[in-house]
Structures are given as C-alpha cells and as structure tokens.
Amino acid sequence: KEVIMSNGMSHITHQFRCVLCGMSNGIKADCSHPECRKSKEPWKYHISCARAAGFEINDDMKTCCFRHVDSSSVFRARLEDFLEVELCRLPDQTIRASAPISWDHASELFHAAVTVLRTLGWAWRWAEWWVKWGDNWEPLIEDHQNEADMTDEELKKVPSTPESRCADARRCRLAAFGAALRNRDYDKESGDDKAPLERALKAVLSTPSLVGPLKSKEIDFYVTWLSLAYHSKSSQLFFGDDKIPVANDSFCLHTADGSPKFELGKRPLPGKNRPEKGVFEPTVDEVDDFLTDSLPSLRVHSEGKKKWKNLKSPEHGSEPNTPNHPLDGSSVKSNNANEGGETSEEEFLE
C-alpha cells in the first residue's frame, strides 16, 4: 500500500536516506523494534548495508537496527561465535596454533572471519552509536549455571559509560580503522598489510568494553584469521573496489570539518605507529562525532534531491566512479572464482 510516490516512478522509501550509507536510492527496510516503529522517523536502511554492518536480519526479513539488535547479533557475540567454531574442534577446548585442522573447519573459520571483518569495515559509521548506547550483549548461561550466583567477572561483564566508551574508541581508533578497512588502505604501501594491520587489529581486540575480556591467545587467534580474511581480498568483505557506495554529505561527514567519515583523509593509518607501551599507539588527535547528535532527519529534502540527481548515475543512482549499489540489481565484482563467496582448497592455500 502506497509504495509508489506521486510522480509514478520512485519508491516511497526513496524520500529517505539509508541510516548506514546515507543514499536515498533503493528500497529500504524499517527497524521492526516497537520503540523504533512508534518513533517519528524509524531507522531505515538497505538490507545489503544492514547485513554488511552486522544488523540483525531474520529469515522472514524482519530486521533490527544497531540499537535494538538481539544480543546474539551484537559485535561481541559474533566474535564469541567465531571463537566457538575453533573451540568445538579441540578436545580440551584450548586454543593451540599447532593443532591440526581440516578443510571443513578452515573454511568455516575463514568465512566467520570475513563476517567479523566486514562488520568492522562499517565501524566508521557505527562506532559513534556504540559510544552513545553501548550494545545489547548478554552472557551465555549454561544449564548448570545460576546467573544470580555468579559474579560480573565470571559472567565476563564489562561495565562502561558513554564517556568511557568514547575514550576506548579513540584509544583503539575504532572509527578510523573502519574507514581504513573499507578503502583497503593497508594495501597502499608495501608492508602495511602485515605489522600495521596486525597492530590495529590487536588494539581493537584489546578493548574489553567492545569485545569482552579476551586472553592473549584468543587475541592472537582473532588477529591471525582476520588478517587472513583481509589478505584474501574476498568480494564478500565489500572493501576496496567492492565497497558499497555511500553519500558524500549529511551524517557521512564529520560535523566539525566536513571531512568524510568513510575515508581516512588526513588521519594517519591505524597501527602505522608503533605503540610506546602496551598495544595502543600514541594518542592521535583526530576528528570524530562521538557523543554528538550526528543523525539528522533521514528525509531527503527537495534541495538535497536536486544535488544528488546530478551526482547519481542515470541507471543505478550510485556515486560517481564507484561500483553500483548491490540493491540496484547490479552484481558486485567478485575476486572469487566460485559463486556465493565459497573458497576452494586451492584458493584457501593461495
């Protein structure tokens, strides 16, 4: 009902921006959470953007935004599911780098790594939401456990506030890291995809308020597999030439100086500088929109429509010189010989 606008050509959701990419083209879904649905402007987003950024998407296509996702869909839970794949194959549930691995397990771990790294590639957008609201993570309670009898340490709860998360996000350079991944900035100088990438990953994974209290072996496990996922150049990451187009205005730009959030710009590459102590590099004075109201109305006003009409390509409405948006019926360039993101043993070894 009422899905076509009065001009007879546009879908009704074309008058709204996707809360993730900021583009108005393509059909968008609403957050299905009651709190969002009863608001004046529920969050709207392309399903492809939402899936890549880690939003909750059910089989019946009901979705929830960053703030309302189920506890099983938050970033920390995805990391825990990733680790569980590794632990389930080891008899003593202990991570050992020397433990033999089958191709089935290697494939499962690789695709879990792609999923986690792809979500991190959107941190340029969702980092400010995490700072403001945190997440909906909940501890997994086994049948023999009683949550009321357990301490926060046993439950692996990490208390935080918007202010402490703001400090954590700046220390690990979460938003800048997402921008660097999106544009494959670690490929631009020889060697940056090794030590600098690993240092940047380790900084993020050493932030308990985001990922939980991880042991050193668990951090090393994640760094190894996430680095492998980056080096694979899988099209399923949506990095580099495969990235989803985003708007070059509104909430996709920093409020302070108008620089793009989705590009590093003048910001130094995360992990490029060696830490003076511990795992975090020296403090970087860089722009961000943490703890600011950086989400204006999602409605595209007439002036904005005229501006984007000139920027969109005639057929697909994408950014100039960028791949077509996956929701416009175009196929994303693939670096894989197989369809559906599958990786053969030969490709995996390579």
Side-chain angles (χ1 to χ4, degrees):
K1 180 182 178 182
E2 297 179 351
V3 295
I4 301 299
M5 294 178 68
S6 58
N7 62 14
M9 297 182 292
S10 303
H11 191 275
I12 193 69
T13 61
H14 287 186
Q15 64 183 313
F16 297 100
R17 295 176 183 271
C18 167
V19 75
L20 285 161
C21 73
M23 302 285 277
S24 61
N25 61 311
I27 299 174
K28 302 164 202 73
D30 288 358
C31 173
S32 59
H33 192 276
E35 186 175 330
C36 246
R37 294 186 68 86
K38 69 182 181 182
S39 66
K40 291 183 179 180
E41 284 194 10
W43 282 26
K44 298 178 184 293
Y45 37 79
H46 299 114
I47 292 296
S48 59
C49 294
R51 193 182 300 277
F55 284 15
E56 179 183 356
I57 302 177
N58 300 325
D59 293 338
D60 58 2
M61 298 308 289
K62 286 187 177 180
T63 74
C64 285
C65 65
F66 180 89
R67 191 177 184 184
H68 298 126
V69 294
D70 182 77
S71 60
S72 62
S73 297
V74 301
F75 181 69
R76 179 177 171 180
R78 292 180 186 276
L79 274 176
E80 291 171 341
D81 290 343
F82 181 12
L83 183 63
E84 191 67 18
V85 175
E86 172 72 352
L87 295 178
C88 283
R89 76 180 184 89
L90 301 170
D92 56 358
Q93 298 276 293
T94 301
I95 294 178
R96 297 193 309 277
S98 59
I101 186 171
S102 69
W103 283 111
D104 287 344
H105 274 113
S107 178
E108 193 172 355
L109 286 167
F110 173 75
H111 289 292
V114 167
T115 299
V116 169
L117 195 65
R118 181 174 62 211
T119 302
L120 271 176
W122 279 89
W124 65 269
R125 187 73 189 96
W126 57 256
E128 58 198 54
W129 301 332
W130 174 74
V131 166
K132 185 175 183 179
W133 295 308
D135 59 39
N136 297 327
W137 178 85
E138 294 180 1
L140 179 62
I141 307 300
E142 303 290 345
D143 292 339
H144 64 279
Q145 294 177 320
N146 185 345
E147 183 174 359
D149 297 334
M150 301 174 70
T151 65
D152 285 353
E153 184 177 358
E154 291 172 328
L155 293 169
K156 297 185 177 181
K157 290 184 177 181
V158 180
S160 67
T161 64
E163 290 73 22
S164 68
R165 290 191 295 271
C166 180
D168 289 345
R170 287 172 175 165
R171 183 167 52 248
C172 72
R173 304 192 60 204
L174 180 59
F177 184 49
L181 289 176
R182 168 182 166 80
N183 298 291
R184 296 200 66 91
D185 288 330
Y186 291 94
D187 295 350
K188 294 181 179 179
E189 290 188 20
S190 177
D192 281 352
D193 62 340
K194 295 181 174 61
L197 173 62
E198 292 179 1
R199 285 196 290 264
L201 283 167
K202 186 166 287 189
V204 171
L205 293 164
S206 300
T207 305
S209 56
L210 176 65
V211 302
L214 298 178
K215 300 176 182 177
S216 59
K217 283 188 176 181
E218 293 171 338
I219 293 175
D220 291 342
F221 162 77
Y222 286 130
V223 169
T224 297
W225 280 96
L226 293 176
S227 297
L228 180 61
Y230 182 87
H231 295 151
S232 75
K233 298 186 177 180
S234 168
S235 62
Q236 301 302 305
L237 289 168
F238 296 111
F239 292 170
D241 292 340
D242 301 310
K243 61 190 175 189
I244 293 176
V246 299
N248 195 29
D249 67 351
S250 190
F251 49 75
C252 291
L253 306 181
H254 290 111
T255 304
D257 62 3
S259 61
K261 297 178 182 179
F262 51 86
E263 295 175 355
L264 272 183
K266 297 180 180 180
R267 293 176 288 178
L269 184 70
K272 186 75 170 180
N273 296 322
R274 293 179 179 273
E276 295 177 351
K277 183 180 180 181
V279 300
F280 299 107
E281 60 185 298
T283 302
V284 177
D285 184 15
E286 57 190 356
V287 64
D288 60 56
D289 277 354
F290 298 156
L291 299 181
T292 63
D293 186 10
S294 59
L295 184 61
S297 173
L298 297 180
R299 187 179 293 274
V300 179
H301 301 291
S302 57
E303 182 179 348
K305 287 183 179 179
K306 291 178 183 178
K307 175 182 176 182
W308 278 101
K309 183 177 181 181
N310 296 327
L311 290 176
K312 292 177 182 177
S313 67
E315 182 178 358
H316 295 293
S318 302
E319 287 179 78
N321 302 320
T322 58
N324 297 324
H325 198 291
L327 276 164
D328 290 321
S330 55
S331 59
V332 178
K333 176 184 174 184
S334 174
N335 293 319
N336 256 336
N338 301 324
E339 296 181 356
E342 297 295 334
T343 305
S344 67
E345 294 184 8
E346 292 77 14
E347 290 172 322
F348 183 81
L349 281 170
E350 184 179 357

